[in-house]
Amino acid sequence: MKHDDLHDILTPNRLRGLWRLMRGYRLIYIAASFSLGISALSRTGTYLLLQKLIDDVIPNTPTSGTLLLFGLAFVGLAVVTGGFTFISGNLAARTAEGLARRLRNTLFDHIQHLPFRYHDATPTGELIERCTSDVDALRTFFADQVINAGQIVVLFSVNIAAIIILSPTLALRSVLIIPLLVGISFFFFRRISIIYEAYQEQEAVLSTTLQENLSGVRVVKAFARQDFEIQKFEQENWEKYQRGRKLILMHALFWPSSDILSSFQMIVGLGIAALMTINTELSLGSYVAYAGMILWIIWPMRNLGRLIVQMSSGIVSFGRVKDVIKESREQMTVGIEPPVENLHGEIRFKNVSFAYESGTEVLHGIDLVCPAGKSVALLGTTGSGKTTLVNLLPRFYDYTSGSLTLDGIELKEYSKEFLRRNIGIVEQEPFLFSRTIRENITHGVGREVSEDEIIASAKAAAIHETILSFPQGYETLVGERGVTLSGGQKQRVAIARTLLKDPRILILDDSTSSVDMLTELEIRAALERLMIGRTSFVIAHRIQSVMNADQIVVMENGKIVQRGSHTDLIQESGIYREIHQMQTVIESALEEELSDVRS
Ligand code: ADP
């Protein structure tokens, strides 16, 4: 997304959004600004006191008592100035951290509720970037810029008011550069916003590249693609470097311009004040007070420019965060939730079609009935639509036309939460969290489970013995900081998890290709135990695992091309018989080789 216009960046919506975001923290910000006001007042008071001392007290040979009193007043004002500056900084930092924490939590919570479609279209690195770097830019925005805005208004108003009291003409001549400064600042604001957004986008590309490479490190190494990946990373990094350089160049151009203008204003102000003092239009005390106070109107003016420019990062980052937040969440709880005891699990597809993107249908007119407690095995080449078909059941995606019912009620009428609670999924490569094995088994079960239940399900999944062989048993950590489980072991942990969840409907991907024969038999037995009495959809990769299914469905290009039992299908000419013959040939060849090796 490129912004060609300032209005795209500084939209009223974004500003309103930022204001809404500060809900609950606004009072603290007001307190912070109030503290700043007090500190500004006492600092200006110091200069006015100085004026009094020089103009009225010193010429009249004051007593040492009077001087001591002035001394104490100066110390008192210094303490008040310092104390309240500290209080305001502290309040601002606390609220900025609080806001960033809230924003991070909101974002995380929101991302957890975004639909599959959103995740399909959004690279992970992009989301990571928005949760980290963009939130951080907003934290700085609230810690520095928002409080700076208050500081600028308070310091400027207090000091300019004091200067007006000294001399209105001088006050006018002290703020000549404001229009120029604001103009330049907005010019840079626009430039920097555009470049900063491009920079953040590139940083997200880099994060995605890094994240994909780290997750897919095995594939990269297996295909010896390191050089290619390194080159690709370097290219993206080069692009980030270029954009970073542009960003720094813009800042580097802005600062000197604003500094030169501010210094110019200070010299002009001091010069005019000096001339006025010589011409006796201004007293000596007033000149000294002015010399102090001009710093505190130059400072806000200079910081106004800085604020405008730095706000660009905060506002752009806010826009990026808001883009995520405004995505609609999946409505998990809308819909009916019949009592689980009444759920039978009969699934009926009637002329169901589905398209991920409108116009490109992936499933065409699916008709399929799976009676409660029975099993359907789906067979077909890669890309034939097996995964897409089963993904309609938990409503990861909603079918585009036709009718899909569970126990006679249209699937879209059930709440997603209900469906997902009652559908268990064992994926081909289950994802395990970097937590203990126990936590992985009980993950998502949604109820208190006893130790006995956990052990029983692990036993039924044929993983109990393996778990006990680890020194820390069920408390063993999985993942980088713990044990690395094999594909087959992960699958059995997932089976144990699903057994514990005890769903009415099952979706299984029975790929057991990465395991040895014995493990395969164990997994198959565990899967069969899992399937007893549940409506099951099995994505099958091998003939052996479909033979026991109540119904076999062969898919091709998003259509069902054959259906029936193993004995029926073996009689028909078609894909099923071809696959069967091919796998039988391969397996008998394998058997022969094995017996050769054994003999
Ligand atoms: P199978 O499980 O039989 O290998 P899939 O259901 O994964 O097949 O894929 C069916 C078709 O849908 C393929 O053409 C695939 O490219 C497409 N497809 C799968 N997932 C998505 C997605 N998230 N977005 C767009 N198209 C997809």
Side-chain angles (χ1 to χ4, degrees):
M1 185 174 47
K2 289 275 168 289
H3 291 301
D4 295 329
D5 200 315
L6 186 64
H7 302 297
D8 285 350
I9 304 160
L10 209 57
T11 57
N13 257 346
R14 282 193 185 177
L15 295 181
R16 263 202 302 276
L18 275 169
W19 177 244
R20 268 202 301 275
L21 199 67
M22 287 170 66
R23 205 178 33 233
Y25 287 100
R26 291 177 196 147
L27 268 183
I28 306 187
Y29 266 110
I30 291 171
S33 301
F34 189 68
S35 309
L36 258 182
I38 297 178
S39 102
L41 274 176
S42 74
R43 187 183 281 119
T44 308
T46 315
Y47 298 122
L48 293 177
L49 205 64
L50 199 61
Q51 182 222 7
K52 198 115 209 100
L53 184 70
I54 295 171
D55 284 349
D56 303 338
V57 181
I58 293 180
N60 300 326
T61 47
T63 60
S64 53
T66 317
L67 286 178
L68 186 68
L69 223 59
F70 266 89
L72 282 176
F74 280 123
V75 172
L77 285 171
V79 170
V80 173
T81 310
F84 278 92
T85 308
F86 169 76
I87 291 174
S88 108
N90 195 14
L91 287 177
R94 253 181 42 199
T95 46
E97 290 299 337
L99 278 170
R101 190 181 123 244
R102 182 157 91 191
L103 199 60
R104 248 181 252 121
N105 283 344
T106 311
L107 257 178
F108 185 75
D109 178 89
H110 195 72
I111 290 170
Q112 295 289 318
H113 288 96
L114 289 177
F116 266 60
R117 276 181 199 280
Y118 181 80
H119 290 288
D120 285 346
T122 316
T124 314
E126 184 70 52
L127 288 177
I128 292 176
E129 196 58 27
R130 290 177 195 224
C131 289
T132 52
S133 167
D134 285 313
V135 170
D136 221 48
L138 276 166
R139 187 183 56 80
T140 317
F141 177 79
F142 286 113
D144 296 344
Q145 282 112 56
V146 174
I147 206 70
N148 256 356
Q151 206 167 12
I152 286 166
V153 172
V154 171
L155 282 176
F156 187 80
S157 337
V158 168
N159 286 288
I160 200 74
I163 297 176
I164 291 173
I165 296 170
L166 295 182
S167 154
T169 348
L170 189 59
L172 191 66
R173 288 170 188 173
S174 306
V175 294
L176 288 175
I177 56 145
I178 288 186
L180 200 58
L181 200 64
V182 171
I184 289 186
S185 305
F186 272 108
F187 171 80
F188 278 101
F189 171 87
R190 216 194 113 196
R191 299 260 137 161
I192 290 178
S193 298
I194 295 166
I195 299 172
Y196 173 75
E197 180 146 24
Y199 178 79
Q200 287 296 84
E201 276 166 11
Q202 187 57 24
E203 198 163 280
V205 170
L206 208 64
S207 294
T208 303
T209 315
L210 190 66
Q211 176 261 329
E212 281 178 354
N213 265 278
L214 293 179
S215 319
V217 68
R218 283 186 182 78
V219 182
V220 174
K221 285 192 188 291
F223 287 86
R225 297 284 281 173
Q226 287 98 324
D227 287 345
F228 172 80
E229 293 298 336
I230 292 168
Q231 204 188 347
K232 189 162 167 260
F233 185 83
E234 281 175 357
Q235 238 172 26
E236 300 295 358
N237 202 11
W238 172 254
E239 181 60 34
K240 182 182 165 193
Y241 162 77
Q242 294 285 16
R243 294 184 188 185
R245 262 185 43 182
K246 265 197 215 162
L247 192 62
I248 290 173
L249 180 70
M250 278 296 136
H251 280 287
L253 282 173
F254 171 71
W255 296 125
S257 341
S258 112
D259 279 350
I260 289 169
L261 274 178
S262 314
S263 309
F264 175 73
Q265 174 67 77
M266 196 150 99
I267 292 165
V268 168
L270 285 174
I272 291 171
L275 284 176
M276 285 169 78
T277 317
I278 292 167
N279 296 337
T280 64
E281 288 170 51
L282 207 65
S283 68
L284 182 64
S286 298
Y287 178 78
V288 173
Y290 174 75
M293 287 188 293
I294 190 171
L295 284 177
W296 297 103
I297 59 165
I298 293 286
W299 188 92
M301 284 196 274
R302 185 172 175 268
N303 274 270
L304 176 69
R306 186 196 181 118
L307 176 78
I308 293 172
V309 166
Q310 286 185 341
M311 260 171 60
S312 58
S313 321
I315 290 179
V316 166
S317 283
F318 177 66
R320 288 167 53 82
V321 166
K322 218 181 107 188
D323 281 347
V324 179
I325 293 180
K326 75 172 187 230
E327 286 291 328
S328 331
R329 288 169 167 235
E330 259 189 313
Q331 293 293 335
M332 295 298 289
T333 48
V334 176
I336 55 165
E337 300 205 1
V340 178
E341 311 83 74
N342 298 351
L343 186 66
H344 299 294
E346 185 220 46
I347 305 270
R348 200 177 276 267
F349 288 74
K350 214 181 286 169
N351 201 17
V352 169
S353 298
F354 173 75
Y356 285 103
E357 288 140 31
S358 60
T360 357
E361 229 179 56
V362 175
L363 292 180
H364 320 274
I366 302 287
D367 284 307
L368 178 64
V369 179
C370 182
K374 299 287 180 195
S375 60
V376 172
L378 301 160
L379 203 73
T381 49
T382 311
S384 57
K386 307 180 293 292
T387 314
T388 307
L389 188 145
V390 296
N391 276 349
L392 299 182
L393 299 175
R395 288 188 61 197
F396 289 155
Y397 302 90
D398 276 330
Y399 43 104
T400 7
S401 68
S403 148
L404 173 49
T405 58
L406 166 60
D407 290 347
I409 299 170
E410 204 62 40
L411 216 57
K412 284 176 188 169
E413 289 186 22
Y414 289 96
S415 83
K416 287 183 180 167
E417 198 177 84
F418 174 80
L419 291 173
R420 292 179 196 174
R421 231 181 15 243
N422 291 293
I423 299 177
I425 305 173
V426 180
E427 290 169 321
Q428 188 174 353
E429 280 217 11
F431 179 83
L432 298 188
F433 290 96
S434 303
R435 299 176 191 158
T436 63
I437 295 186
R438 176 196 306 281
E439 284 170 303
N440 270 294
I441 293 181
T442 54
H443 181 264
V445 173
R447 61 186 167 90
E448 280 294 313
V449 279
S450 68
E451 187 66 22
D452 289 346
E453 276 183 282
I454 297 175
I455 293 176
S457 63
K459 277 187 177 158
I463 188 74
H464 178 66
E465 299 299 327
T466 317
I467 297 173
L468 289 189
S469 73
F470 300 133
Q472 281 157 305
Y474 280 84
E475 304 309 325
T476 308
L477 270 179
V478 177
E480 274 124 29
R481 287 179 299 134
V483 294
T484 308
L485 297 183
S486 70
Q489 288 168 341
K490 277 190 198 165
Q491 209 168 23
R492 279 176 286 162
V493 169
I495 294 173
R497 176 199 286 170
T498 314
L499 274 165
L500 208 54
K501 187 175 169 184
D502 193 21
R504 289 293 317 132
I505 301 157
L506 268 183
I507 296 173
L508 306 175
D509 196 325
D510 92 325
S511 165
T512 46
S513 49
S514 59
V515 298
D516 57 79
M517 288 283 269
L518 187 67
T519 318
E520 184 181 331
L521 286 178
E522 275 179 5
I523 293 181
R524 184 147 297 144
L527 284 176
E528 269 159 26
R529 275 194 291 276
L530 180 62
M531 285 163 66
I532 295 169
R534 306 178 208 271
T535 309
S536 313
F537 283 76
V538 184
I539 298 181
H541 298 268
R542 308 175 63 172
I543 295 282
Q544 282 90 331
S545 54
V546 302
M547 288 212 249
N548 297 334
D550 297 305
Q551 187 181 181
I552 300 167
V553 162
V554 183
M555 295 191 68
E556 189 68 20
N557 295 326
K559 287 198 186 98
I560 294 179
V561 288
Q562 279 184 293
R563 67 178 83 213
S565 68
H566 175 69
T567 31
D568 294 340
L569 292 174
I570 207 90
Q571 313 289 334
E572 282 178 26
S573 65
I575 302 179
Y576 189 83
R577 198 155 74 181
E578 281 168 31
I579 299 177
H580 181 249
Q581 274 166 357
M582 213 156 61
Q583 289 196 355
T584 320
V585 171
I586 293 171
E587 255 148 51
S588 52
L590 211 75
E591 274 299 310
E592 258 172 51
E593 265 180 47
L594 278 176
S595 56
D596 283 354
V597 173
R598 283 194 200 109
S599 58

